[in-house]
C-alpha cells in the first residue's frame, strides 16, 4: 500500500473552497509530509486550486524529486519561505491562507513583504491537522506496525528490570531496541521513573538505581516509517503492598471505562470524564493530573484530544492514546497507556500486551 497524496490534496482543496481560499501556504513539516510525501526538514508547500509547488533548498533536490509526485518541486537557496513570493508571482490570488500555529511573527512579516500587497492573508489554524486526525487505511496499517514494534520493545525490556539497574541504562536498552527492530528512533524522550520519581509524570531517566519494592513507569514510543507510537506500563519490583495494588486496579479500571466509552460521535471530553469518574470514585481523582490522551500519527501529540473541554467528537479512523495515571507525591505513580483505533464498533487496542499488573 502507498499513501494517496492526490486524495489528501483533494480533501484540502475542498476545504479551501469552503474557506474561500485561492491558495494555502503549508509550512509545518508533518503537514507537508502528509500532503505530498516530502520528508526533508526545510520546505514550504503552496497549494492552489489547481496547482501545488513544493519549495526546498539544494540539499533536498534529489530527495524531493524522488519523494514528491503530486506537486512541482522548485529549488531555491536559503529559507523556503523567502521564495513563496516567486512561486505565486503572476498567479491571480486574492486570498491566501497560512498556518497561524506554525509561523513566527518575523516570518509572517517577511511573507507580507515577499508577496505582492493585493494578496489577502488569512490565518488557518489547524486545517491540515484536522484532515490528518482521521487516518486513511495506509496510515492505519503503519500505526498498527508502529504500535506492534513498541509493544515488542516493551516485552523485551521489562524482563531486564532488576534491582541495581539504573533508569538511564533501561532507557538506553529501549532506545537501542527501537532502532534494532527497524524504527528510525524514539517518538519522544523515553521515560523511566522509579520509586518516588514515578510520581513525576514526565520524568527524565536519571542515574538512579532501581531498587526492590519500587514502582517503575516505562513510557516509550517509536517512529516507524514516520508514524509514532506511545506505550506506558508500570511494574513493581517485588511483591506489591495492598495500597499499590489498589491504585493499580483503579487506574486499570479507569482505562477500561475509557475504552468502553469510545465510539464514533462521543466528544473527547466525555472519554476523559469516563476515566476520571472511576478515579474519583476511588478517591484518586485529584492525583490524575494530566489529560487522558491525545491523537497519535505523524506527530506524537496531535488531534483529537481526550481532555476536559475537548468538543471534537471521535470518528472512525481517529487513533488516540488512552493513558490514565495517578501520581502521589513522595509515594509514587502509576500510568497505563495504550494506543487505540476508533472503529465503527468502538475501540480497537493496537498496543500489547494487556496492561495487567506485573510484579517482578
Ligand atoms: Mn502519550
Amino acid at each position: 500500500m502507498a499513501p494517496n497524496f492526490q486524495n489528501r490534496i483533494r480533501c484540502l482543496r475542498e476545504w479551501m473552497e469552503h474557506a474561500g481560499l485561492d491558495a494555502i501556504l503549508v509550512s509545518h513539516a508533518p503537514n507537508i509530509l502528509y500532503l505530498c510525501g516530502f520528508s526533508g526538514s526545510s520546505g514550504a508547500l503552496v497549494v492552489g486550486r489547481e496547482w501545488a509547488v513544493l519549495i526546498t533548498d539544494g540539499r533536498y533536490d534529489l530527495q524531493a524529486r524522488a519523494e514528491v509526485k503530486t506537486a512541482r518541486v522548485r529549488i531555491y537557496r536559503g529559507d523556503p519561505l523567502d521564495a513563496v513570493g516567486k512561486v505565486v508571482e503572476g498567479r491571480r490570488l486574492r486570498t491566501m491562507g497560512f498556518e497561524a500555529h506554525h509561523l513566527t511573527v518575523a516570518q509572517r512579516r517577511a511573507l507580507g513583504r515577499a508577496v505582492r500587497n493585493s494578496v489577502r492573508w488569512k490565518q488557518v489554524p489547524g486545517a491540515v491537522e484536522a484532515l490528518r486526525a482521521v487516518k486513511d487505511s495506509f496510515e492505519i496499517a503503519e500505526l498498527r506496525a508502529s504500535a506492534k514494534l513498541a509493544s515488542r520493545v516493551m516485552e523485551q525490556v521489562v524482563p531486564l528490570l532488576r534491582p541495581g539497574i539504573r533508569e538511564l541504562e533501561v532507557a538506553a536498552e529501549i532506545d537501542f531496541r527501537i532502532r534494532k527492530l527497524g524504527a528510525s528512533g524514539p517518538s519522544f524522550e523515553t521515560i523511566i521513573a522509579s520509586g518516588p520519581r514515578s510520581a513525576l509524570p514526565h520524568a527524565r531517566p536519571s542515574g538512579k538505581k532501581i531498587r526492590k519494592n519500587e514502582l517503575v513507569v516505562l513510557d516509550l514510543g517509536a517512529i516507524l516509517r514516520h508514524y509514532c507510537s506511545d506505550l506506558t506500563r508500570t511494574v513493581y519490583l517485588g511483591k506489591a503492598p495492598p495500597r499499590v495494588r489498589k491504585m493499580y486496579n483503579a487506574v486499570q479500571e479507569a482505562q477500561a471505562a475509557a475504552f468502553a466509552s469510545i465510539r464514533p460521535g462521543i466528544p473527547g471530553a466525555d472519554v476523559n470524564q469516563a476515566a476520571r469518574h472511576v478515579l474519583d470514585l476511588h478517591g484518586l481523582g485529584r492525583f490524575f493530573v494530566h489529560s487522558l490522551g491525545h491523537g497519535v500519527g505523524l506527530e506524537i501529540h496531535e488531534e483529537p484530544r481526550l481532555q476536559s473541554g475537548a468538543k471534537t467528537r471521535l470518528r472512525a479512523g481517529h487513533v488516540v492514546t488512552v493513558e490514565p495515571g495517578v501520581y502521589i507525591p513522595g509515594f509514587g505513580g502509576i500510568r497505563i497507556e495504550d494506543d487505540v483505533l476508533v472503529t465503527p464498533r468502538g475501540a480497537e487496542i493496537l498496543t500489547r500486551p494487556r496492561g495487567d499488573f506485573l510484579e517482578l
Side-chain angles (χ1 to χ4, degrees):
M1 227 194 308
N4 189 339
F5 297 118
Q6 245 150 9
N7 187 52
R8 294 176 187 177
I9 288 197
R10 190 179 55 73
C11 291
L12 179 66
R13 286 191 175 123
E14 269 173 31
W15 176 85
M16 284 163 55
E17 203 162 330
H18 287 293
L21 298 177
D22 300 313
I24 180 171
L25 165 63
V26 181
S27 55
H28 186 47
N31 289 346
I32 296 172
L33 173 62
Y34 177 77
L35 290 169
C36 75
F38 177 63
S39 68
S41 63
S42 170
L45 178 68
V46 189
V47 180
R49 291 290 181 88
E50 274 148 9
W51 51 274
V53 175
L54 174 78
I55 304 164
T56 183
D57 64 63
R59 292 171 300 168
Y60 292 113
D61 194 345
L62 290 177
Q63 180 184 328
R65 286 175 210 287
E67 288 177 336
V68 180
K69 304 292 172 214
T70 47
R72 277 188 56 196
V73 174
R74 293 186 59 179
I75 306 294
Y76 290 97
R77 260 178 208 280
D79 187 333
L81 289 178
D82 293 340
V84 171
K86 291 173 199 140
V87 165
V88 301
E89 216 168 54
R91 298 184 195 271
R92 242 172 295 169
L93 302 176
R94 283 185 309 272
T95 310
M96 211 168 147
F98 69 97
E99 299 188 286
H101 291 336
H102 304 297
L103 279 191
T104 65
V105 172
Q107 286 172 324
R108 170 67 188 86
R109 285 203 187 117
L111 277 178
R113 287 193 297 270
V115 178
R116 64 198 171 87
N117 286 337
S118 59
V119 170
R120 203 157 54 86
W121 287 95
K122 201 170 160 187
Q123 300 188 23
V124 289
V128 184
E129 283 84 349
L131 297 178
R132 278 174 44 203
V134 178
K135 274 64 182 177
D136 58 36
S137 51
F138 167 81
E139 295 188 285
I140 289 170
E142 295 294 62
L143 284 163
R144 269 185 213 288
S146 185
K148 193 171 169 185
L149 190 148
S151 305
R152 284 181 64 198
V153 172
M154 186 68 80
E155 279 168 356
Q156 289 185 8
V157 167
V158 165
L160 304 179
L161 296 176
R162 50 182 162 69
I165 193 168
R166 292 178 197 276
E167 290 173 356
L168 277 165
E169 291 179 72
V170 181
E173 293 286 352
I174 287 170
D175 294 353
F176 171 73
R177 282 170 168 77
I178 283 173
R179 284 199 152 150
K180 190 86 175 166
L181 292 179
S184 57
S187 53
F188 55 90
E189 191 178 334
T190 301
I191 295 170
I192 302 295
S194 60
R197 298 189 77 254
S198 60
L200 308 168
H202 267 189
R204 284 224 158 89
S206 73
K208 177 189 171 301
K209 283 182 177 167
I210 296 172
R211 292 187 309 213
K212 201 168 162 54
N213 300 321
E214 280 188 341
L215 283 162
V216 186
V217 174
L218 306 94
D219 187 351
L220 62 91
I223 304 175
L224 177 62
R225 297 185 295 268
H226 305 301
Y227 282 89
C228 297
S229 43
D230 196 354
L231 170 64
T232 306
R233 291 292 180 261
T234 303
V235 303
Y236 194 86
L237 255 67
K239 179 133 178 56
R243 184 184 181 192
V244 167
R245 188 180 295 270
K246 268 192 199 149
M247 271 171 65
Y248 195 95
N249 290 343
V251 175
Q252 197 175 22
E253 194 189 313
Q255 197 197 31
F259 288 155
S261 76
I262 287 176
R263 58 186 151 73
I266 188 172
D270 292 11
V271 182
N272 180 62
Q273 188 51 38
R276 177 162 290 283
H277 177 67
V278 171
L279 293 172
D280 282 339
L281 290 178
H282 287 275
L284 294 168
R286 70 197 154 103
F287 300 115
F288 178 26
V289 295
H290 53 71
S291 59
L292 182 67
H294 51 86
V296 60
L298 291 173
E299 290 181 273
I300 184 64
H301 297 116
E302 53 179 62
E303 294 302 313
R305 309 282 163 167
L306 304 181
Q307 63 190 31
S308 76
K311 291 189 186 73
T312 303
R313 291 173 187 277
L314 292 187
R315 291 175 58 180
H318 279 160
V319 177
V320 292
T321 68
V322 177
E323 47 179 311
V326 293
Y327 310 90
I328 299 179
F331 179 73
I334 292 169
R335 177 166 67 255
I336 311 173
E337 175 182 35
D338 288 281
D339 300 346
V340 164
L341 168 67
V342 181
T343 79
R345 291 166 308 283
E348 181 192 331
I349 303 165
L350 305 181
T351 31
R352 296 278 177 273
R354 257 175 59 125
D356 292 330
F357 193 36
L358 284 177
E359 294 167 297
L360 305 174

